[in-house]
Amino acid sequence: TLLINIDLLEVQVPATAPDIRGSLERLRNLAKRTLDGTRALSHDLRPTILDDVGLIAAIQWFADEWAKSFELPVRVRADPAGDGRLPPETELALFRITQEALTNAGKYSRATKVEVSLEFPNGSARLIIRDDGRGFDLSQTGGPTRAGGLGLYGMRERAELIGGRLEIATAPNEGTTVTVVAPMDGVDVGPRRLSKSWRRE
């Protein structure tokens, strides 16, 4: 509506008033940038692909795009979610954790293969992202700082916000496994220990 009103106003400005026309052009550009920023923010808050095709297809799509960007094979295995969809906030958190974990693997792991699995055992959603890369010393990451750690902290926080838990199993030269267990119905999954076993094929 703002852009339309600017166009209508510009028609009424005489050609002999270049200063006013210049101001309107700057206002139009500002409005366009604001609109683009709002759209980008909306996409970041909840990607439309989650609403359009659901969590499993969204993860597969991102994995395909990730594989093209990093030229690294990734396999996605997912079980059906059973009856209906997960709560929107759970889908969003699991999707964002997948994005962060894959991005970290692509940038830092030097992996030769990556696997994403999504299962729904006993009324919970279990997301696992594994790579066979160089791993790292988890005790050296500490908390979030300007020097790093924000990605790991953010994944853990996202899991906790949906009543779930995130565990990272890694060691130098042993690859990295990120495991998230979250309730499908909004009830906390409790202190049960997460599985972190994975052997290289």
Side-chain angles (χ1 to χ4, degrees):
T1 303
L2 178 59
L3 289 172
I4 294 175
N5 287 332
I6 292 173
D7 291 339
L8 293 175
L9 183 59
E10 187 176 37
V11 173
Q12 302 176 40
V13 176
T16 55
D19 291 344
I20 297 178
R21 285 182 172 271
S23 296
L24 287 174
E25 183 61 27
R26 288 191 292 274
L27 183 59
R28 178 185 290 107
N29 291 335
L30 176 61
K32 287 180 178 178
R33 289 197 300 271
T34 302
L35 179 60
D36 290 341
T38 301
R39 287 172 175 167
L41 178 60
S42 176
H43 181 271
D44 287 343
L45 290 175
R46 181 172 177 83
T48 56
I49 190 171
L50 282 174
D51 295 319
D52 294 341
V53 299
L55 176 62
I56 293 173
I59 288 177
Q60 182 66 66
W61 167 81
F62 181 79
D64 291 342
E65 294 300 310
W66 179 91
K68 294 175 186 176
S69 298
F70 291 99
E71 299 182 345
L72 185 64
V74 56
R75 181 173 64 170
V76 176
R77 297 186 300 107
D79 294 336
D83 299 331
R85 297 269 298 267
L86 297 175
E89 61 274 12
T90 301
E91 288 190 341
L92 179 59
L94 295 178
F95 181 71
R96 291 304 189 201
I97 290 171
T98 302
Q99 285 184 305
E100 183 66 33
L102 285 179
T103 299
N104 288 343
K107 288 182 176 180
Y108 309 118
S109 74
R110 299 180 186 174
T112 62
K113 66 177 180 179
V114 180
E115 178 182 290
V116 179
S117 65
L118 182 62
E119 305 166 334
F120 301 94
N122 303 320
S124 65
R126 181 167 61 210
L127 172 69
I128 304 174
I129 303 100
R130 302 177 171 121
D131 70 65
D132 66 347
R134 59 180 180 170
F136 58 96
D137 185 348
L138 190 59
S139 67
Q140 299 299 312
T141 59
T145 67
R146 289 187 178 183
L150 285 172
L152 301 181
Y153 180 84
M155 288 192 293
R156 196 177 303 279
E157 187 175 59
R158 286 185 186 278
E160 291 174 354
L161 286 173
I162 57 172
R165 293 172 296 108
L166 179 141
E167 182 174 293
I168 300 172
T170 186
N173 303 314
E174 292 295 330
T176 300
T177 300
V178 176
T179 304
V180 184
V181 175
M184 295 180 65
D185 56 3
V187 178
D188 196 297
V189 297
R192 171 166 59 102
R193 182 171 176 79
L194 305 183
S195 171
K196 58 179 180 179
S197 62
W198 181 58
R199 62 179 180 84
R200 299 185 187 187
E201 299 175 351

